[in-house]
Amino acid sequence: MDHYLLIKALHVMSFTSWMAGLFYLPRLLAYHASVATGSGEDTLLQVMERRLLAIIMRPALIATWVFGVWLVIITGYGGPGTPAPWLHYKLVLVLALSGLHGYFSLSVRKFATHTNTRTSRFYKIINEAVTLLFVAIVLLAVTKPL
């Protein structure tokens, strides 16, 4: 099998797993913001959030970046004189998505220490930012418009 296609498939699988977590975690946080601190629901949501981050999201984030950078290296995209501005835009959007991942990780820690000040509505709205970034990244990766 061609190594390029294998790495590309692993990149797509990693990104898909990461996105599944990024779609689900803000929804968990929205539910969490609506429950009483110290309740059974609070404890259950803390466990679910922590496991989602540690078992699925963090490894998928790392794998997405590793396989993505590997693809850039083996294809030569984005190097000096290489006409691939779509890739630069995609990388900026993936950095923004990584920033959201970091923000959600911080939010999980705030719930664990009972210092969250955000509302359920906030987490529902920020979940839409994840969707918009996802759509833009996929459109850039598939159409390579620039």
Side-chain angles (χ1 to χ4, degrees), residues 4-22:
Y4 166 77
L5 293 177
L6 176 62
I7 296 164
K8 188 174 183 180
L10 291 169
H11 179 63
V12 169
M13 288 185 277
S14 302
F15 182 67
T16 302
S17 299
W18 183 33
M19 288 308 306
L22 283 170

Side-chain angles (χ1 to χ4, degrees), residues 8-82:
K8 188 174 183 180
L10 291 169
H11 179 63
V12 169
M13 288 185 277
S14 302
F15 182 67
T16 302
S17 299
W18 183 33
M19 288 308 306
L22 283 170
F23 287 136
Y24 187 44
L25 185 57
R27 183 56 57 180
L28 286 176
L29 296 172
Y31 295 146
H32 203 161
S34 299
V35 303
T37 301
S39 67
E41 292 89 358
D42 175 49
T43 303
L44 176 63
L45 287 165
Q46 284 184 46
V47 170
M48 291 172 69
E49 293 157 0
R50 189 175 56 250
R51 287 181 180 169
L52 179 61
L53 268 171
I55 297 169
I56 297 171
M57 292 177 67
R58 199 169 297 123
L61 163 72
I62 292 166
T64 298
W65 273 99
V66 167
F67 294 125
V69 168
W70 197 350
L71 285 170
V72 169
I73 291 169
I74 65 174
T75 61
Y77 278 135
T82 305

